[in-house]
Amino acid sequence: MKWKDWDFNLKLRLYGEGVMNILFWSFFPFMTIFFSDTFGKKEASILLIISQFFSVIANLVGGYCADRYGRKKMMVLSVMGQSISFVLFAAANSPWWNSPLATFIAFSLLSICGSFYWPASHAMVADVVDEKNRTQVFAVFYTAINIAVVVGPIIGGLVFFQYRFQMLLAGVIISAILAFVLSRYLRETAPLQAKKETKKRSWYSAIWDEIQDYKIIVNDKMFLLFILAGILIAQTFMQLDLIISVYMKDSVGQQTLLRIFDWKWEVKGAQAFSLVLATNGLLVALFTVYITKVMSKYKESRAFILSSCLYAIAISLFGFFTNVWVLLILISIFTLAELMVAGVQESFISKLAPDHMRGRYFSAASLRFTIGRLLAPISLAFSDWFSYQVVFILLGVLALSGAFLYSILFHRLEKVQPTSTT
């Protein structure tokens, strides 16, 4: 699908969301460091779990609201909500007022608004793009996000700790401008019939229906194994902006990465973490298509199991090194594990799902990330009780446990479908 054939809505959103994503990744990875320094690691883990819980609820309601009230309305309201949240966020970190609690509330409101935004955003793509081109369009948006993951942390590493108020004030202005642009130029794409049908349900009925759909994971033992393995694996890659950020801030001292005559490139702590995070985003942006093409030549079982093992190796070793170059090598292995399954997960879910239940299976499959995101902050509390080395090894054991569940899954599938899934 050529750029000239893209719907204007998508072009507008790609630029607007690109700027917002860069802004988001300029502060989001460093919030765990901020909360752990301010409240303590155990308290920070509890706060992050609470924040993620409300985001999960907002995500469940978001799809219902996008159908009932329209894609455009939900996206505009969500960005307006983000702008208001940035006002509180900036005020709580201003020269005149410093409130960690208000900062947490603003951060949570930003996450909730984002959770309302994305279901409408994805639904709009489905509204205006035919099925054969959707994968390509989503891939472009995915690449744009990873460009933001590269640029954002570099900016954040330079300004978050010294110029946080100014950065958040920029967030107020940028999100307000985006809300105006979306309200002025974005057109509604929600089918009228879908909106009429959705009005028959209340918002809490929508949540209940969504939860009811997840009953399929109990009835389908194969799918249950897939979900459980995914939750265990999520405890590794969800740590990138959690325990890894805090570990690097606490443990990585000043280091010279590059020296040219009298010029030196030095990093430490949070700046080193921003470099690690940017490396992850850059590798994802550059090699997703290539690695997916390579992995398509191999059996799915090998992709899932080998990916889990690489996650285990990378995360387990992370706590034993403070040299930035070694950590960059480990994050490269970590990223390779991510990319090995990036292209095969969706097709594998479609193979497990009966044709008439495919939508519900994809919805239920998101539990891997939903529950994984809820549980991941527990690692922060563990780091208060155990050494970083022990915590990282425990995370590695969880990844290996995920590999073990995948091996059971594919062993069972081999008996049912000996040529298609192993």
Side-chain angles (χ1 to χ4, degrees), residues 133-198:
N133 289 312
R134 284 175 196 164
T135 301
Q136 180 185 352
V137 172
F138 279 122
V140 172
F141 276 91
Y142 182 69
T143 301
I145 290 174
N146 281 284
I147 291 173
V149 175
V150 176
V151 178
I154 295 175
I155 296 173
L158 297 173
V159 304
F160 180 83
F161 295 98
Q162 289 81 23
Y163 306 102
R164 185 158 58 246
F165 171 67
Q166 291 87 337
M167 182 181 73
L168 297 173
L169 199 60
V172 176
I173 299 170
I174 292 172
S175 53
I177 292 174
L178 180 59
F180 171 77
V181 171
L182 292 179
S183 64
R184 180 71 175 81
Y185 297 105
L186 202 68
R187 81 176 194 282
E188 183 57 70
T189 64
L192 292 176
Q193 184 61 32
K195 293 173 71 173
K196 290 178 181 178
E197 291 176 355
T198 308

Coordinates of all heavy atoms in Angstrom, one line a residue, residues 133-198:
N133 N -4.1 -5.0 3.6 CA -3.1 -4.0 3.8 C -3.0 -3.6 5.3 O -2.1 -2.8 5.6 CB -3.5 -2.7 3.0 CG -3.3 -2.9 1.5 OD1 -2.2 -3.4 1.1 ND2 -4.3 -2.5 0.7
R134 N -3.8 -4.2 6.2 CA -3.7 -3.7 7.6 C -2.4 -4.1 8.2 O -1.9 -3.3 9.0 CB -4.9 -4.4 8.4 CG -6.2 -3.8 8.1 CD -7.3 -4.5 8.8 NE -8.6 -4.1 8.3 CZ -9.7 -4.8 8.4 NH1 -9.7 -6.0 9.1 NH2 -10.9 -4.4 7.9
T135 N -1.9 -5.3 7.9 CA -0.6 -5.6 8.5 C 0.5 -4.6 8.2 O 1.3 -4.2 9.1 CB -0.2 -7.0 8.1 OG1 -1.2 -8.0 8.4 CG2 1.2 -7.4 8.7
Q136 N 0.5 -4.2 6.9 CA 1.5 -3.2 6.5 C 1.4 -1.9 7.2 O 2.3 -1.3 7.7 CB 1.4 -3.0 5.0 CG 2.4 -2.0 4.4 CD 2.2 -1.7 3.0 OE1 1.4 -2.4 2.3 NE2 2.9 -0.7 2.4
V137 N 0.1 -1.4 7.4 CA -0.1 -0.2 8.1 C 0.2 -0.2 9.5 O 0.9 0.7 10.1 CB -1.6 0.3 7.9 CG1 -1.9 1.5 8.8 CG2 -2.0 0.5 6.4
F138 N -0.2 -1.3 10.2 CA 0.2 -1.5 11.6 C 1.7 -1.6 11.7 O 2.3 -1.1 12.7 CB -0.4 -2.8 12.2 CG -1.9 -2.6 12.6 CD1 -2.9 -3.4 12.1 CD2 -2.2 -1.6 13.5 CE1 -4.2 -3.2 12.5 CE2 -3.5 -1.5 13.9 CZ -4.5 -2.3 13.4
A139 N 2.4 -2.2 10.8 CA 3.9 -2.3 10.8 C 4.5 -0.9 10.8 O 5.5 -0.6 11.5 CB 4.4 -3.2 9.7
V140 N 3.9 0.0 10.0 CA 4.5 1.4 9.9 C 4.3 2.1 11.2 O 5.2 2.7 11.7 CB 3.8 2.1 8.7 CG1 4.2 3.6 8.8 CG2 4.1 1.5 7.4
F141 N 3.1 2.0 11.8 CA 2.9 2.6 13.1 C 3.8 2.0 14.2 O 4.3 2.7 15.0 CB 1.4 2.4 13.5 CG 0.5 3.5 12.9 CD1 -0.1 3.3 11.7 CD2 0.3 4.7 13.6 CE1 -1.0 4.3 11.2 CE2 -0.5 5.7 13.1 CZ -1.2 5.5 11.9
Y142 N 4.0 0.6 14.1 CA 4.9 -0.1 15.0 C 6.3 0.4 14.9 O 7.0 0.7 15.9 CB 4.8 -1.6 14.8 CG 5.7 -2.4 15.7 CD1 5.3 -2.5 17.1 CD2 6.8 -3.1 15.3 CE1 6.1 -3.3 17.9 CE2 7.5 -3.9 16.1 CZ 7.2 -4.0 17.5 OH 7.9 -4.7 18.3
T143 N 6.8 0.6 13.6 CA 8.1 1.2 13.4 C 8.2 2.6 13.9 O 9.3 2.9 14.5 CB 8.4 1.2 11.9 OG1 8.3 -0.2 11.4 CG2 9.8 1.7 11.6
A144 N 7.2 3.4 13.8 CA 7.2 4.8 14.3 C 7.3 4.8 15.8 O 8.1 5.6 16.4 CB 5.9 5.5 13.9
I145 N 6.7 3.8 16.5 CA 6.8 3.7 17.9 C 8.2 3.4 18.3 O 8.7 4.0 19.3 CB 5.8 2.7 18.5 CG1 4.3 3.2 18.3 CG2 6.1 2.4 19.9 CD1 3.3 2.1 18.7
N146 N 8.8 2.5 17.6 CA 10.2 2.1 17.9 C 11.2 3.2 17.6 O 12.3 3.3 18.3 CB 10.5 0.8 17.3 CG 10.0 -0.4 18.0 OD1 10.4 -0.8 19.0 ND2 8.9 -0.9 17.4
I147 N 10.9 4.1 16.6 CA 11.8 5.2 16.4 C 11.7 6.2 17.6 O 12.7 6.7 18.1 CB 11.3 6.0 15.1 CG1 11.7 5.1 13.9 CG2 12.0 7.3 15.0 CD1 11.1 5.7 12.6
A148 N 10.4 6.3 18.2 CA 10.3 7.1 19.4 C 11.0 6.5 20.6 O 11.5 7.2 21.4 CB 8.8 7.2 19.7
V149 N 11.0 5.1 20.6 CA 11.8 4.4 21.7 C 13.3 4.7 21.6 O 14.0 4.7 22.6 CB 11.5 2.9 21.6 CG1 12.3 2.2 22.7 CG2 10.0 2.6 21.9
V150 N 13.8 5.0 20.4 CA 15.2 5.3 20.2 C 15.4 6.8 20.6 O 16.3 7.1 21.4 CB 15.6 5.1 18.7 CG1 17.0 5.6 18.5 CG2 15.5 3.7 18.3
V151 N 14.6 7.7 20.1 CA 14.8 9.1 20.3 C 14.4 9.6 21.7 O 15.1 10.3 22.4 CB 14.0 9.9 19.2 CG1 14.2 11.4 19.4 CG2 14.5 9.5 17.8
G152 N 13.2 9.1 22.2 CA 12.7 9.6 23.4 C 13.6 9.4 24.6 O 13.9 10.4 25.4
P153 N 14.1 8.2 24.9 CA 15.0 8.0 26.0 C 16.3 8.8 26.0 O 16.8 9.2 27.0 CB 15.3 6.5 26.0 CG 14.2 5.9 25.3 CD 13.8 6.9 24.2
I154 N 16.8 9.0 24.8 CA 18.0 9.9 24.7 C 17.7 11.3 25.1 O 18.5 11.9 25.9 CB 18.5 9.9 23.2 CG1 19.0 8.5 22.8 CG2 19.7 10.9 23.0 CD1 19.4 8.3 21.4
I155 N 16.6 11.8 24.7 CA 16.1 13.2 25.1 C 15.9 13.1 26.6 O 16.3 14.0 27.4 CB 14.9 13.6 24.4 CG1 15.2 13.8 22.9 CG2 14.4 14.9 24.9 CD1 13.9 14.0 22.0
G156 N 15.2 12.1 27.1 CA 14.8 12.0 28.5 C 16.1 11.9 29.4 O 16.1 12.5 30.5
G157 N 17.1 11.2 28.9 CA 18.3 11.1 29.7 C 19.0 12.4 29.9 O 19.7 12.6 30.9
L158 N 18.8 13.3 29.0 CA 19.4 14.6 29.0 C 18.6 15.6 29.8 O 19.2 16.5 30.5 CB 19.7 15.2 27.6 CG 20.6 14.4 26.7 CD1 20.6 15.0 25.3 CD2 22.0 14.4 27.3
V159 N 17.3 15.5 29.8 CA 16.4 16.6 30.4 C 15.6 16.1 31.6 O 15.1 17.0 32.3 CB 15.5 17.2 29.3 CG1 16.4 17.7 28.1 CG2 14.5 16.2 28.8
F160 N 15.3 14.8 31.7 CA 14.3 14.4 32.7 C 14.7 14.8 34.1 O 13.8 15.4 34.9 CB 14.1 12.9 32.7 CG 13.0 12.4 33.7 CD1 11.7 12.5 33.4 CD2 13.5 11.9 34.9 CE1 10.8 12.0 34.3 CE2 12.5 11.5 35.8 CZ 11.2 11.5 35.6
F161 N 15.9 14.6 34.5 CA 16.3 14.9 35.9 C 16.7 16.3 36.2 O 16.6 16.8 37.3 CB 17.5 13.9 36.3 CG 17.1 12.5 36.3 CD1 17.4 11.7 35.2 CD2 16.4 11.9 37.4 CE1 17.0 10.3 35.2 CE2 16.0 10.6 37.4 CZ 16.3 9.8 36.3
Q162 N 17.1 17.1 35.1 CA 17.5 18.5 35.3 C 16.4 19.5 34.9 O 16.2 20.5 35.5 CB 18.7 18.8 34.5 CG 20.0 18.1 35.0 CD 20.1 16.7 34.6 OE1 19.5 16.3 33.6 NE2 20.9 15.9 35.4
Y163 N 15.6 19.1 33.8 CA 14.6 20.0 33.3 C 13.2 19.4 33.2 O 12.6 19.6 32.2 CB 15.1 20.6 31.9 CG 16.5 21.1 31.9 CD1 17.6 20.4 31.5 CD2 16.7 22.4 32.4 CE1 18.9 20.9 31.5 CE2 18.0 22.9 32.5 CZ 19.1 22.2 32.0 OH 20.4 22.7 32.0
R164 N 12.9 18.7 34.2 CA 11.6 17.9 34.1 C 10.4 18.9 34.0 O 9.5 18.6 33.2 CB 11.4 17.1 35.4 CG 10.2 16.2 35.3 CD 10.3 15.0 36.3 NE 10.6 15.4 37.7 CZ 11.7 15.1 38.3 NH1 12.7 14.5 37.7 NH2 11.8 15.4 39.6
F165 N 10.4 20.0 34.7 CA 9.2 20.9 34.6 C 9.1 21.4 33.2 O 7.9 21.5 32.6 CB 9.4 22.1 35.6 CG 8.4 23.2 35.4 CD1 7.1 23.0 35.7 CD2 8.8 24.4 35.0 CE1 6.2 24.0 35.6 CE2 7.9 25.5 34.8 CZ 6.6 25.2 35.1
Q166 N 10.2 21.9 32.6 CA 10.1 22.4 31.2 C 9.6 21.3 30.2 O 8.8 21.6 29.3 CB 11.5 22.9 30.8 CG 11.9 24.2 31.5 CD 12.6 23.9 32.8 OE1 12.5 22.8 33.4 NE2 13.4 24.8 33.3
M167 N 10.1 20.1 30.4 CA 9.7 19.0 29.5 C 8.2 18.7 29.6 O 7.5 18.5 28.6 CB 10.5 17.7 29.8 CG 10.2 16.6 28.9 SD 11.1 15.1 29.3 CE 10.3 14.6 30.8
L168 N 7.7 18.7 30.9 CA 6.3 18.4 31.1 C 5.4 19.6 30.6 O 4.3 19.3 30.2 CB 6.0 18.1 32.6 CG 6.8 16.9 33.1 CD1 6.6 16.7 34.6 CD2 6.2 15.6 32.4
L169 N 5.9 20.8 30.7 CA 5.2 21.9 30.2 C 5.1 21.8 28.7 O 4.0 22.2 28.1 CB 5.9 23.2 30.6 CG 5.1 24.5 30.5 CD1 3.9 24.4 31.5 CD2 6.0 25.7 30.9
A170 N 6.1 21.3 28.1 CA 6.1 21.1 26.6 C 5.0 20.0 26.3 O 4.3 20.1 25.3 CB 7.4 20.6 26.1
G171 N 4.8 19.1 27.2 CA 3.8 18.0 27.1 C 2.4 18.6 27.1 O 1.5 18.2 26.3
V172 N 2.2 19.6 27.9 CA 0.9 20.3 28.0 C 0.6 21.0 26.6 O -0.5 20.8 26.1 CB 0.9 21.4 29.1 CG1 -0.4 22.2 29.0 CG2 1.1 20.8 30.4
I173 N 1.6 21.7 26.1 CA 1.4 22.4 24.8 C 1.2 21.4 23.7 O 0.3 21.6 22.8 CB 2.6 23.3 24.6 CG1 2.7 24.4 25.7 CG2 2.4 24.0 23.2 CD1 3.9 25.2 25.7
I174 N 2.1 20.4 23.6 CA 2.0 19.5 22.4 C 0.7 18.7 22.4 O 0.1 18.6 21.4 CB 3.2 18.5 22.5 CG1 4.5 19.3 22.2 CG2 3.1 17.4 21.5 CD1 5.8 18.5 22.5
S175 N 0.3 18.2 23.6 CA -1.0 17.4 23.6 C -2.2 18.3 23.4 O -3.1 17.9 22.7 CB -1.1 16.7 25.0 OG -1.0 17.6 26.0
A176 N -2.1 19.6 23.8 CA -3.3 20.5 23.5 C -3.4 20.8 22.0 O -4.5 20.8 21.5 CB -3.1 21.8 24.3
I177 N -2.2 21.0 21.4 CA -2.2 21.2 19.9 C -2.7 20.0 19.2 O -3.5 20.1 18.3 CB -0.8 21.6 19.5 CG1 -0.4 23.0 20.0 CG2 -0.7 21.6 17.9 CD1 1.1 23.3 19.7
L178 N -2.3 18.8 19.6 CA -2.7 17.6 18.9 C -4.2 17.4 19.1 O -4.9 17.0 18.2 CB -2.0 16.4 19.5 CG -2.4 15.0 18.9 CD1 -2.1 15.0 17.4 CD2 -1.6 13.9 19.6
A179 N -4.8 17.7 20.3 CA -6.2 17.6 20.5 C -7.0 18.5 19.6 O -8.0 18.1 19.0 CB -6.5 17.9 22.0
F180 N -6.5 19.7 19.4 CA -7.1 20.7 18.5 C -7.1 20.2 17.1 O -8.1 20.2 16.4 CB -6.5 22.1 18.6 CG -6.9 23.0 17.6 CD1 -8.2 23.7 17.7 CD2 -6.1 23.3 16.5 CE1 -8.6 24.5 16.7 CE2 -6.6 24.2 15.5 CZ -7.8 24.8 15.6
V181 N -5.9 19.7 16.7 CA -5.8 19.3 15.3 C -6.7 18.1 15.0 O -7.3 18.0 14.0 CB -4.3 18.9 15.0 CG1 -4.1 18.2 13.7 CG2 -3.4 20.1 15.0
L182 N -6.7 17.1 15.9 CA -7.6 15.9 15.8 C -9.1 16.3 15.7 O -9.8 15.8 14.9 CB -7.4 14.9 16.9 CG -6.0 14.2 16.9 CD1 -5.9 13.3 18.1 CD2 -5.7 13.5 15.6
S183 N -9.5 17.2 16.6 CA -10.9 17.7 16.6 C -11.2 18.5 15.4 O -12.4 18.4 14.9 CB -11.1 18.5 17.8 OG -10.4 19.7 17.8
R184 N -10.3 19.1 14.8 CA -10.5 20.0 13.6 C -10.5 19.2 12.3 O -11.3 19.4 11.4 CB -9.5 21.1 13.6 CG -9.6 22.1 12.4 CD -10.9 23.0 12.6 NE -10.9 24.0 11.5 CZ -11.4 23.7 10.3 NH1 -11.8 22.5 10.0 NH2 -11.4 24.7 9.4
Y185 N -9.5 18.3 12.2 CA -9.3 17.7 10.9 C -9.6 16.2 10.8 O -9.7 15.6 9.7 CB -7.8 17.9 10.5 CG -7.5 19.4 10.3 CD1 -6.7 20.0 11.3 CD2 -7.9 20.1 9.2 CE1 -6.4 21.4 11.1 CE2 -7.6 21.4 9.1 CZ -6.9 22.1 10.0 OH -6.6 23.4 9.9
L186 N -9.7 15.5 11.9 CA -9.9 14.1 11.9 C -11.4 13.8 11.6 O -12.3 14.6 12.1 CB -9.6 13.4 13.2 CG -9.3 11.9 13.3 CD1 -8.0 11.6 12.5 CD2 -9.2 11.4 14.7
R187 N -11.7 12.8 10.8 CA -13.1 12.5 10.5 C -13.5 11.2 11.2 O -12.7 10.4 11.4 CB -13.4 12.4 9.0 CG -13.0 11.1 8.4 CD -13.4 11.0 6.9 NE -13.3 9.7 6.4 CZ -12.2 9.0 6.1 NH1 -11.0 9.7 6.2 NH2 -12.2 7.8 5.7
E188 N -14.8 11.1 11.5 CA -15.3 9.9 12.2 C -15.3 8.7 11.2 O -15.7 8.9 10.0 CB -16.7 10.2 12.8 CG -17.2 9.0 13.6 CD -16.3 8.5 14.7 OE1 -16.2 9.3 15.7 OE2 -15.7 7.5 14.5
T189 N -15.0 7.5 11.7 CA -15.0 6.4 10.8 C -15.8 5.2 11.4 O -15.9 4.2 10.7 CB -13.5 5.9 10.6 OG1 -13.0 5.4 11.8 CG2 -12.6 6.9 10.0
A190 N -16.3 5.4 12.6 CA -17.1 4.3 13.2 C -18.3 4.0 12.4 O -19.1 4.9 12.1 CB -17.4 4.6 14.6
P191 N -18.6 2.7 12.1 CA -19.9 2.4 11.4 C -21.1 2.8 12.2 O -21.1 2.5 13.4 CB -19.8 0.9 11.2 CG -18.3 0.5 11.3 CD -17.8 1.5 12.3
L192 N -22.1 3.4 11.7 CA -23.3 3.8 12.4 C -24.0 2.6 13.0 O -24.5 2.7 14.2 CB -24.2 4.6 11.5 CG -23.7 6.0 11.0 CD1 -24.7 6.6 10.0 CD2 -23.5 6.9 12.2
Q193 N -24.1 1.5 12.3 CA -24.8 0.4 12.8 C -24.1 -0.1 14.1 O -24.8 -0.5 15.1 CB -24.8 -0.7 11.8 CG -25.7 -2.0 12.2 CD -27.1 -1.6 12.5 OE1 -27.7 -0.7 11.9 NE2 -27.7 -2.3 13.4
A194 N -22.8 -0.2 14.1 CA -22.1 -0.6 15.3 C -22.4 0.3 16.5 O -22.5 -0.2 17.6 CB -20.6 -0.7 15.0
K195 N -22.4 1.6 16.2 CA -22.7 2.5 17.3 C -24.1 2.3 17.9 O -24.3 2.4 19.1 CB -22.5 3.9 16.9 CG -21.1 4.3 16.5 CD -21.0 5.7 15.9 CE -21.2 6.8 16.9 NZ -20.9 8.1 16.3
K196 N -25.1 2.0 17.0 CA -26.5 1.8 17.5 C -26.6 0.5 18.3 O -27.2 0.5 19.3 CB -27.4 1.7 16.3 CG -27.6 3.0 15.5 CD -28.5 2.8 14.3 CE -28.7 4.1 13.5 NZ -29.5 3.9 12.3
E197 N -25.9 -0.5 17.9 CA -25.9 -1.8 18.6 C -25.3 -1.6 20.0 O -25.7 -2.2 20.9 CB -25.3 -2.9 17.8 CG -26.0 -3.3 16.5 CD -25.3 -4.3 15.7 OE1 -24.1 -4.6 16.0 OE2 -25.9 -4.7 14.7
T198 N -24.2 -0.9 20.0 CA -23.4 -0.7 21.3 C -24.2 0.0 22.3 O -24.1 -0.2 23.5 CB -22.1 0.0 21.0 OG1 -21.4 -0.7 19.9 CG2 -21.2 0.0 22.2

